Amino acid sequence: MDTRARRIVRNNKKSQFHYLIVLKDFIGSFVLHAISLGIVAAFLIWVLDQV
C-alpha cells in the first residue's frame, strides 16, 4: 500500500514537471511571435510614415 502511494506521488510530480516544461515552451514561442509581430508592425508603420 505504501509503495503504491509513493509511486502515484512520483508520477504526479513528473507530470507536473512535464506541464511546467510545456508551459515554458509555449510562453517562449508566444514571446518570440509577439516580438516578431511587433517588429513587423513597427516596420510597416515606419514605411507608411515615410510615404
Side-chain angles (χ1 to χ4, degrees):
M1 185 70 187
D2 190 36
T3 54
R4 212 174 90 207
R6 269 199 206 129
R7 194 179 301 133
I8 289 171
V9 167
R10 195 184 296 135
N11 283 347
N12 192 17
K13 274 186 185 172
K14 190 188 281 184
S15 65
Q16 275 183 336
F17 190 63
H18 176 72
Y19 179 71
L20 278 175
I21 291 175
V22 169
L23 193 69
K24 199 179 71 177
D25 284 351
F26 177 75
I27 290 174
S29 61
F30 181 76
V31 167
L32 281 176
H33 283 124
I35 289 172
S36 57
L37 277 174
I39 290 172
V40 168
F43 180 71
L44 282 175
I45 289 171
W46 179 77
V47 166
L48 288 173
D49 203 40
Q50 297 298 312
V51 174

